[in-house]
Amino acid sequence: DKIIRIWGKEGDKWVCKSILAEGHQRTIRSVGWSPCGNYLASASFDATTNIWSRKEGEFECIASLEGHENEVKAVSWAPTGLLLATCSRDKSVWIWEVTEDEEYECASVISSHTQDVKYAVWHPTREMLASCSYDNTIKLFKEEIDDWTCCNTLESHTSTVWKISFDQTGHRIVSCSDDKTLKIWQEYLPGNPEGIDTIGKESAWKCVCTLSGYHNRVIYDVDWSHSNGLIVSACGDECIRVFREEEISDKNQPSFSLVCTQNRAHSQDVNSVAWNPKEPGLLASGSDDGDVKLWEVVLD
Amino acid sequence: MASNFSGALQLTDLNDFITPSQECVKPVKIDRKPGKVAKIRIEDDGSYMEVAESGEEKKLQKAQITLNDCLACSGCITSAESVLITQQSQEELYNVLQENLRLQQASEVDKKKLVVVSISPQSRASLATKYQLSPQEAHHKLTGFFKKLGVHHVFDTSFSRNFSLLESCREFVRRYYESETNKTALPMLASSCPGWICYAEKTHGSYILPYISSTKSPQQIMGSLVKDYFAAKQGQTPDLIYHVTVMPCYDKKLEASRQDFYSDLYRTRDVDCVITTGEVEKMLEKENVTLGQVEGNTAYCVLSGFGSPDGGLGSHLGGGSGGYLEHVMRYAVSQIHGSSVDSLQYKTLRNQDFQEVTVEIEGKRPLKMALAYGFRNIQNIVQKIKRGKMTYDFVEIMACPSGCANGGGQIRPMEGQTNNELLQRVKESYDSVPCVQPDLWPGVKDIYEEWLGGVDTEKARAMLHTQYHGVEKVASALNIQW
């Protein structure tokens, strides 16, 4: 509906605190809070990404990032808050820098993917970007000398990779795909004890676990909790599932087990799930049915 | 198919879900006359009849769709580039030379075409580096090579570049003074890069076009020189001259096929065919020679690029993309302030392809100019202009990172050689040719007088300047945004 809603907890209830309308001309596909929490970025099918600033509780659109040729699919803030990444159906990933006078300038246009780029996210601690695409790959990007380049391509999924999520350490990634699997990827640094080949100073990434048979339809979203390590997935079969790594798990061949499934979490496709960064076990889900639901995961 | 065009052009041509069955947006061209309302009736034979209010019927002309329309249209399926590449390639040159041979043998000599090849100094530097020759040697050997194949004259776009530089300088100063009353006079944006021009026309249209310099690129000025000045001198009509240029990129092929560079009168283009440096390399391979083995030809012609006082090749200040900033700044300072600058201090901003130069002018605000190469830097320039935050008076914009020396049509690195290493060698080769000031280059002043009747004449404007056209996004059923 081209509107952004900001929700806050008042006592026991969640209320809609602000409505940001007239910012975009088409669907808003992705929103992201800046690390400091004072800014919100919104990425839209109208090919622009807006930056909203919170002043005295009111949000004001302070910048509009233009340049993508068509629908912007995602926006992500780097942990420093000084870089942003956007990705689009135009197959490119753009990196933006926030200047001293709060201007947003294009720092790089990376055309590595061969199809629609669905999502881009920054590494939790390093200045490294990960993106995934309709071309079935995940790509990692770093700044080298003068420009950003693709340093790794992770191939294993057999269909569109919709979302990726780093674990708390940043050495592992979980990805979800149209091929109905979740995959866990492990980083191997140069000189690793396992003897995995690396090129120069670059790490190698290997798919060390595939969770298949759990999901009945395309998996649209996945999030790896940075507080308790649980992985939650959002699926086109209307279910939300939570996975946990087993106590005895080999780093090079980890085992994950399904902790619980919420059947009929929504009445339509579950498009989006995210863990609350502060409250472990609290997660939010969004769906084609127009609802946002909050869930509590209680482990025995 | 892998696209060889510059990054800026590749990014503006994407519509991955459009199926091959999309209809062309121009089946019938309707002249839009404001105020007239008419009905269109489709006849049984598929032709279109315009029925005016008065009942008067007129059969509508079917639109001719040229290659250019396909490339300029923002709604169609693309892949017109594969047609373009076959239409403008070394194969075409071979075809023309073969045809000449056949006509010669059939004694139909007056139908023969005069074949002229104009080589760009960037292509020459790339070939010189590959075959380990000096630019001078490469020039002579390329002349020898082409002449042996049947080409009649070999020229150098270094010569026509002088005109491009001089016109840009004069245009800038004129716009500088105009800027007090005209908001779109400054910043002036360089116009010699077709990757930039096509991107600007397609994506930004009318709000950015007024800022672009009207001066033609060295390639197109050479086109005018060959098809007008040289044609007259040779007593040949322009349609009987086949003009080929050798360029460092594929975007130049698009430039040559622009409608503005086509003569309706003689039904001929100013530049008939653009071949890239890589395509010349293929020609050498086809003939089974390395450039070093070719016998050099030292024939002299004022259009051949021998600008140095010692009769050797000449070059210019300011790097491998033409040196526009360097020349415009120096000229502007000399005209506005009456002083000359020894050397310009370039300050690198966010990356190597974005640099600025500031020159203080006593009594006036400083002159600020910038180099912006590559798509990401072009983005920032365009956005700054859009938001009214532009601080530069002139920007030398090029679509390729590192400029023309790094064009998409240049010779690729060898095994074990990185692109950067090769680029450095090519730049060194390019810079090794001595610099000559454009207005002191032998022949430039004479040709201004003889051909154009002086500087700033009507003919000079017609021959040395051009215009730009924004491309409207045509709404068709398949273009609808869901």
Side-chain angles (χ1 to χ4, degrees), chain B residues 13 61-62 80 83 87 115 165 174 195 227 235 270 275 290 328 335 360 385 394 396 407 409 420 426 444 458:
Chain B
D13 241 343
Q61 280 277 58
K62 262 218 177 108
V83 180
Q87 265 203 11
V115 185
L165 288 168
R174 182 177 50 79
K227 295 278 178 125
D270 291 341
I275 58 180
T290 65
V328 170
Q335 292 297 300
E360 305 282 337
I385 293 176
F394 175 76
E396 181 179 310
N420 255 327
V426 173
V444 172
E458 210 179 294

Side-chain angles (χ1 to χ4, degrees), chain A residues 247-263:
Chain A
E247 296 266 332
I248 303 167
S249 182
D250 175 4
K251 171 190 165 199
N252 305 309
Q253 241 185 315
S255 330
F256 284 79
S257 53
L258 179 61
V259 167
C260 55
T261 306
Q262 179 59 50
N263 289 308

